[in-house]
Amino acid sequence: MTEAKDERRPAGELEATVMAALWAAGVPQTPGEVQSSLGADLARTTVTTILTRLHEKGVVDRHRQGRGFAYFPVRDVPDAQGLTARRMHSELDRDSDREAVLARFVAQLSPNDERILRDLLESDER
């Protein structure tokens, strides 16, 4: 295993970091502005890719600014749970066998999480 692979961030961490920068700014930000607020840790192209993906997921919106875009969160306040739920939906959408994915997900739940999920499903039934 390579050293670079060992240093990979957990899934969604970069998106959460970029979203935090957008929320903190309070005004639409270009990828370069987001990169500057995050420090030199990420390349501008990486930030642009993350913002584009967040836009495709409907988490941020954008407007034309110069030759590029300025991005802003769709929601005014951070919603970590909503972002996590969107990531879960995105992962589920990547597989054509939704039933198998959901079955494996449920099989790996702790008894407490299984109870919570069961309660949520029952409370939504009409």
Side-chain angles (χ1 to χ4, degrees):
M1 194 176 270
T2 66
E3 188 174 316
K5 187 163 180 89
D6 290 341
E7 295 178 18
R8 290 194 72 155
R9 292 175 176 90
E13 182 179 312
L14 288 177
E15 287 183 355
T17 300
V18 168
M19 288 301 299
L22 288 176
W23 281 313
V27 295
Q29 298 282 290
T30 65
E33 292 168 331
V34 172
Q35 178 202 22
S36 293
S37 71
L38 297 175
D41 191 29
L42 294 175
R44 187 190 53 76
T45 54
T46 301
V47 174
T48 301
T49 299
I50 294 165
L51 288 166
T52 300
R53 290 180 180 165
L54 288 169
H55 180 257
E56 290 168 354
K57 294 176 182 181
V59 178
V60 299
D61 205 350
R62 65 186 183 190
H63 64 77
R64 180 69 67 184
Q65 184 168 321
R67 296 186 318 176
F69 292 99
Y71 295 83
F72 52 95
V74 173
R75 295 182 183 247
D76 290 338
V77 293
D79 184 353
Q81 295 80 12
L83 189 56
T84 300
R86 284 186 201 94
R87 282 199 316 265
M88 292 169 68
H89 277 285
S90 178
E91 290 300 317
L92 185 59
D93 290 342
R94 291 179 194 228
D95 198 299
S96 60
D97 191 352
R98 294 174 77 88
E99 185 176 343
V101 173
L102 287 169
R104 286 190 180 190
F105 176 76
V106 170
Q108 295 174 4
L109 291 174
S110 69
N112 188 51
D113 287 344
E114 187 176 334
R115 181 194 52 76
I116 292 169
L117 182 58
R118 190 178 313 278
D119 290 347
L120 288 168
L121 290 170
E122 289 172 0
S123 70
D124 286 341
E125 291 180 357
R126 314 239 183 263

